[in-house]
Amino acid sequence: MKSTGGSDAQKRAAGESAAEAVEDGAVVGLGTGSTAAHAIRAIGRKVDSGLDARGIPTSFQSRELAKRAGVPLTTLDEESAVDLAIDGADQFSGPHLVKGGGAAHAREKIVDAAADRLLVVADPSKAADRLDHSVPVEVLPDARTTVAAELRSLGGSPTLRSAERKDGPVVTDNGNLVLDCDFGEIPAPAELAADLARLPGAVEHGLFVGMADEIHVGREDGVDVEEF
């Protein structure tokens, strides 16, 4: 189930480890979230030291952070290839991920899928033998009720995500809503992902099946890197 999260030191270690993979001339997908933020800052320091790299942000948050860190920005329209993406996860089991805690999973999936390699940065609390984190589903506002009914028919329990510091729901960078859907343990992520992808009005879901090429797990005394 959803964890309380790891320490900032663990997140920093993971983010800085993945940032070491950014080579001169690279185009990098810049993920969203507290762990990916450490990677963006580390890339900024490398750019300040002379590295030639360009970033493709996956959200307003990552774009603003990259600007402050001094990372030159570009877009998918302007680049013929994305060398790697560095992104966080709400939970991972092997190469399978649940993402979308920051409501940026639609843009994240587009950029992460376009990259030659996806490096996932996480703390140990995000690891699971099997995925069981609630799955965010971004929906068109007019489709909230119909998609919720379909999610219940698939065995899920959907909840409209509410904003924390204002009345009303969370609205994504794309102007849509987010349904957080609890399916319990997910023994077959690929099958559920296919079912979710077929729902009319569902823009994107937070299951990233088999997408991770590396997982960088930060610990207090170093980083564990697992390759797939």
Side-chain angles (χ1 to χ4, degrees):
M1 300 302 292
K2 188 174 182 178
S3 64
T4 56
S7 71
D8 190 64
Q10 292 170 337
K11 295 176 181 181
R12 182 184 302 111
E16 293 179 351
S17 172
E20 287 302 312
V22 180
E23 299 179 346
D24 204 53
V27 176
V28 188
L30 305 176
T32 301
S34 57
T35 311
H38 285 295
I40 294 173
R41 295 187 189 99
I43 294 169
R45 292 192 292 272
K46 289 165 67 76
V47 168
D48 188 56
S49 297
L51 180 76
D52 174 23
R54 299 179 303 286
I56 299 177
T58 56
S59 65
F60 178 85
Q61 178 192 51
S62 61
R63 181 171 63 249
E64 293 303 298
L65 178 58
K67 287 180 180 178
R68 293 196 299 271
V71 179
L73 298 181
T74 184
T75 67
L76 289 173
D77 287 339
E78 296 172 314
E79 301 297 336
S80 59
V82 182
D83 298 290
L84 73 158
I86 300 175
D87 211 344
D90 299 312
Q91 191 178 61
F92 67 88
S93 176
H96 309 314
L97 319 170
V98 175
K99 291 179 49 55
H105 52 285
R107 173 72 173 171
E108 288 172 330
K109 188 174 286 187
I110 292 169
V111 175
D112 293 352
D116 291 339
R117 291 191 298 150
L118 172 58
L119 279 56
V120 174
V121 292
D123 62 75
S125 74
K126 304 302 190 296
D129 292 331
R130 271 188 176 177
L131 298 178
D132 61 2
H133 195 284
S134 62
V135 179
V137 181
E138 182 170 341
V139 298
L140 298 173
D142 287 346
R144 174 176 67 89
T145 302
T146 56
V147 172
E150 293 287 353
L151 291 171
R152 284 189 285 269
S153 73
L154 291 173
S157 178
T159 303
L160 180 66
R161 187 181 300 182
S162 297
E164 294 183 1
R165 286 184 286 274
K166 75 173 184 68
D167 292 335
V170 165
V171 178
T172 71
D173 287 357
N174 306 314
N176 299 316
L177 305 178
V178 176
L179 293 171
D180 290 309
C181 196
D182 184 4
F183 289 98
E185 193 172 88
I186 304 172
E191 292 180 14
L192 179 57
D195 288 337
L196 296 177
R198 285 194 288 265
L199 299 182
V203 176
E204 190 54 84
H205 59 79
L207 285 172
F208 286 50
V209 178
M211 288 185 63
D213 294 291
E214 296 179 12
I215 305 276
H216 292 240
V217 181
R219 303 188 183 277
E220 300 296 339
D221 58 351
V223 180
D224 294 335
V225 181
E226 186 171 3
E227 299 182 5
F228 302 100

